[in-house]
């Protein structure tokens, strides 16, 4: 098995059988291809007798979303497996365990997490996860701190930057998040009822300036090893466990991009409540839960990050008074800006989110979309002035209130 | 010749003879080792008959300054030769031509520039170079623009970042410029008469904050392929020609670091006039020339950079109104901050400059040193507020005037 080929289910089973110390030699394995992404095959391998199971994730050499015509590097499988293993070294309980990585097949053998659900789905069912903010705040604090110049040897960090250079996957982000949504690009996917709002964004030069600045930060700030695609569809969750998956977009970039992605997806669900909750009190209550979660995610991140800094900082200049405050304020500002960009692109860019698109009633969907755009553009415009996470919360709350008054 | 060894002069001659199409087969070559740096052997190979000559530059596996005990990667010879060739693709007339690079020997064969002088020497003789600002402004604009996300394909740029990862040489900068000078480090080299001024810097937390921010920018902003050590000792000059040499510190960093290094070295000579000119009118006049050069370097850089941006920009978001102004103001601010750091470290850090240390009269030298420290620390503290190069000029001029009044 030394030349790449996309595995069949039978081949996936044969491969899994050969793995040392996992299944019995005479185990009867079954496989189900459960990939619902656009880029990979995901085989769920089960041994019903022992109850053991595994995931085989194989990168495809193209993006399925547009057929085989969009080739995509297999190197992302290496990046994903190496990122997972690095993240596991900082917080093993928050990522799936990697058993093996087979370079030639672009194949990663991972822990099966099918007792968890994808968080986006959980939020769309209005479930609550009281431990989530603590888990994800810790995940971000630890992975972002320990891969930065603050938390590791600064010469080794440079080599690690080289290890995670990821041009093709970064290009997807650069195009779909920091370019297409701000002009009339064929990659956009604009519903007819949104055309006026989108046309206004295409003409808003003040907004474009802030996006250009954020794009520049994404392109040039080699700060930490990012997950790179940290939305609620990249998180497996259940009441007592959170697992961050799919870091194939990992590269060295600005911390705020990961944090902003996560907060944006909570806020997209917040906007989507326009369409999901028919009971107004229930809607208000779930929104309150979401905003409390947003705040707690940042609060945990900041507290953990400051603790790591105080205890484990490697950079001799980093003990300078006021520098930690300056640093975290910059991360906060970029978090808010990136959160805004991540919201906007999910409303009329190439790739939407089920929270919003799943709203069947067109008028309710439109309300949710306009609310998300109002929050997203406000966050982008405000980001360089921000000094507290409460400003993000206030923007989300005010936008919802004024929508309730105006649009309803 | 496939295993590394430091060449003798005889071996350098033998090697030069084998180069194709340069010397005649029966040429009588002579060699002189002229390396006055700390890190390399530099053989000047001459054929008196034809008048042809060449430079063979070989990296040593250690830093001579502290004997063989400070090992240093030979990979810097690859980085230097690749950087020179890349720079030559943007401005061939402003760098030495590279004829060959021999990886195993860490050896670069280059154009002989011995009809030029090292610019630091020229400035110490109070020479003037009316074409210099135009040359170096163009060099910086072209090399910094065309290696950035503004001027090249953004995916190729990421691969180029990987090509120029340069941990060991960066560490020298990080330690000697952004760490040691701000604490009582054994690497510092403090003259007794400066102890009070240096002690004040070690206690100045406002200053440390600005240095920590600049250090962070040096560590994380992968903006352009820098020369990395662009002082007046890295420039060969004569009336009608400027050649930038020795880019072994090249790596992807913030544009302002190169520009700031250059301006700092002009300002160090400006401070050194305290000791070099005995005639007061002459001193004032040469200082005026130096400040005019500083201003012209920035002005040419900015004009050329804006022209390249207007004509050749590759980034689709970069045409956003006001973005170019925002971008150049950020580069200006970082230029001013890095210029300050570069001045401070040359006064009492590990490695000084001949402009200052060459002043034999201790009292005059002290005046020059204190003036350089006053300018350097003011630039660092002011940098995040700067909006015009005139502010840097005013800081230099005001510091000299107040020194003249107070210290004399």
């Amino acid at each position: 098995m030394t030349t790449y080929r996309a595995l069949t289910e039978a081949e996936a089973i044969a491969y899994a059988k050969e793995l040392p110390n996992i299944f019995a030699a005479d185990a009867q394995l079954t496989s189900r291809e459960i990939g619902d992404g656009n880029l990979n095959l995901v085989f769920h391998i089960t041994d019903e007798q022992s109850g053991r199971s595994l995931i085989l994730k194989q990168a495809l050499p193209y993006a399925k979303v547009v057929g085989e015509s969009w080739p995509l590097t297999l190197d992302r499988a290496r990046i994903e497996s190496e990122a997972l293993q690095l993240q596991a070294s900082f917080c093993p309980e928050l990522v799936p365990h990697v058993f093996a990585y087979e370079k030639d097949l672009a194949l990663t053998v991972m822990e099966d997490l099918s007792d968890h659900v994808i968080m986006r789905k959980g939020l769309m069912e209005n479930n609550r996860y009281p431990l989530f903010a603590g888990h994800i705040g810790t995940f971000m604090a630890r992975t972002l701190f320990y891969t930065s110049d603050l938390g590791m040897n600064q010469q080794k960090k440079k080599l690690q930057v080289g290890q995670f250079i990821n041009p093709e996957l970064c290009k997807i982000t650069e195009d779909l998040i920091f370019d297409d949504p701000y002009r009339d690009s064929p990659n956009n996917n604009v519903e007819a009822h949104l055309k006026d709002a989108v046309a206004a964004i295409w003409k808003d030069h003040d907004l474009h300036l802030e996006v250009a600045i954020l794009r520049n930060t994404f392109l040039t700030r080699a700060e930490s090893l990012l997950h790179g695609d940290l939305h609620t569809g990249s998180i497996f969750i259940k009441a007592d466990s959170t697992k961050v998956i799919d870091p194939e977009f990992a590269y060295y970039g600005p911390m705020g991009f990961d944090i902003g992605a996560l907060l944006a997806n909570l806020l997209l669900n917040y906007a989507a409540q326009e369409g999901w909750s028919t009971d107004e009190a229930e809607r208000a209550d779930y929104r309150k839960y979401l905003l409390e979660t947003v705040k707690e995610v940042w609060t945990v991140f900041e507290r953990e990050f400051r603790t790591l800094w105080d205890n484990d900082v490697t950079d001799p200049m980093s003990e300078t008074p006021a520098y930690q405050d300056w640093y975290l304020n910059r991360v906060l500002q970029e978090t808010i800006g990136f959160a805004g960009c991540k919201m906007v692109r999910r409303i009329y860019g190439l790739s939407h989110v089920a929270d919003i698109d799943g709203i069947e009633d067109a008028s309710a969907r439109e309300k949710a979309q306009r609310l998300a755009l109002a929050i997203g553009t406000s966050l982008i415009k405000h980001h360089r002035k921000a000094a507290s996470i409460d400003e993000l919360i206030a923007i989300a709350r005010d936008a919802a209130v004024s929508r309730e008054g105006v649009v309803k």
Side-chain angles (χ1 to χ4, degrees), chain A residues 75-311:
Chain A
D75 186 49
R76 67 189 198 278
R78 175 192 64 79
I79 287 188
E80 173 170 343
S81 70
E82 291 180 1
L84 280 173
Q85 290 171 77
L86 198 56
Q87 292 160 350
S89 72
F90 309 128
C91 33
E93 69 289 1
L94 296 171
V95 290
H97 181 72
V98 170
F99 294 101
Y101 162 66
E102 176 105 7
K103 183 176 182 297
D104 296 328
L105 289 175
L107 181 74
T108 306
V109 183
M110 283 188 277
E111 182 182 0
D112 174 24
L113 296 170
S114 46
D115 57 336
H116 293 60
V117 299
I118 287 292
M119 186 176 184
R120 187 181 306 287
K121 242 185 172 170
L123 294 181
M124 286 169 66
E125 291 163 2
N126 283 15
N127 294 325
R128 300 182 188 214
Y129 302 99
L131 301 183
F132 170 70
H135 289 161
I136 203 72
T138 301
F139 173 83
M140 296 192 299
R142 295 184 69 87
T143 59
L144 299 175
F145 178 84
Y146 281 120
T147 59
S148 79
D149 288 296
L150 297 166
M152 73 180 291
N153 174 284
Q154 297 168 4
Q155 275 45 63
K156 285 190 189 146
K157 180 245 184 179
K158 291 173 180 66
L159 301 176
Q160 203 157 276
V161 169
Q163 180 187 347
F164 287 102
I165 284 174
N166 196 355
E168 287 190 37
L169 282 283
C170 283
K171 181 162 173 56
I172 295 174
T173 302
E174 289 158 23
D175 289 353
L176 300 189
I177 299 181
F178 297 112
D179 178 4
D180 295 323
Y182 302 97
R183 60 188 178 88
D184 188 0
S185 157
N187 287 336
N188 291 324
N189 178 2
V190 188
E191 283 205 74
H193 60 236
L194 284 182
K195 282 200 168 155
D196 65 312
V198 172
I201 288 178
W202 289 344
K203 278 188 235 148
D204 187 341
H205 291 315
D206 292 342
L207 183 73
H208 297 183
L209 173 61
E210 301 303 319
V211 174
I213 290 170
L214 288 159
R215 175 179 167 91
N216 175 256
T217 299
F218 183 85
L219 286 166
T220 63
R221 196 193 304 292
E223 183 170 45
S224 292
L225 182 66
L226 304 189
H227 177 282
D229 194 26
L230 192 51
H231 56 77
T232 47
S234 297
I235 295 169
F236 263 131
I237 201 159
K238 57 178 186 167
D240 59 349
S241 169
T242 303
K243 302 277 186 183
V244 179
I245 63 170
D246 289 355
E248 59 198 339
F249 282 78
Y251 89 110
Y252 259 84
M255 299 184 184
F257 187 75
D258 268 5
I259 313 170
L262 195 270
L263 300 189
N265 278 270
L266 295 174
L267 292 175
L268 283 164
N269 188 274
Y270 172 93
Q273 295 303 318
E274 213 66 45
W276 290 109
S277 316
T278 43
D279 181 295
E280 214 157 308
E282 206 178 88
R283 171 164 77 195
D285 198 54
Y286 197 69
R287 280 194 166 154
K288 188 162 161 282
Y289 159 72
L290 287 168
L291 290 190
E292 283 166 0
T293 302
V294 164
K295 171 136 186 182
E296 199 188 342
V297 168
W298 174 264
T299 305
V300 170
F301 165 76
E302 178 173 349
R303 187 184 62 223
E304 294 296 314
F305 195 87
R306 285 185 186 271
T307 302
L308 295 172
W309 187 313
D310 292 340
N311 296 330

Side-chain angles (χ1 to χ4, degrees), chain A residues 270-271 274 287 366-375 399-400 403:
Chain A
Y270 172 93
E274 213 66 45
R287 280 194 166 154
E366 180 183 345
K367 278 187 200 168
Q369 289 165 326
R370 288 182 185 266
L371 175 55
L373 288 181
I375 297 172
R403 289 287 138 183

Side-chain angles (χ1 to χ4, degrees), chain A residues 341-354:
Chain A
C341 295
K342 285 280 203 173
M343 291 185 75
V344 168
R345 75 92 160 214
R346 289 294 193 185
I347 303 305
Y348 64 89
L350 180 69
S351 173
H352 298 186
V353 288

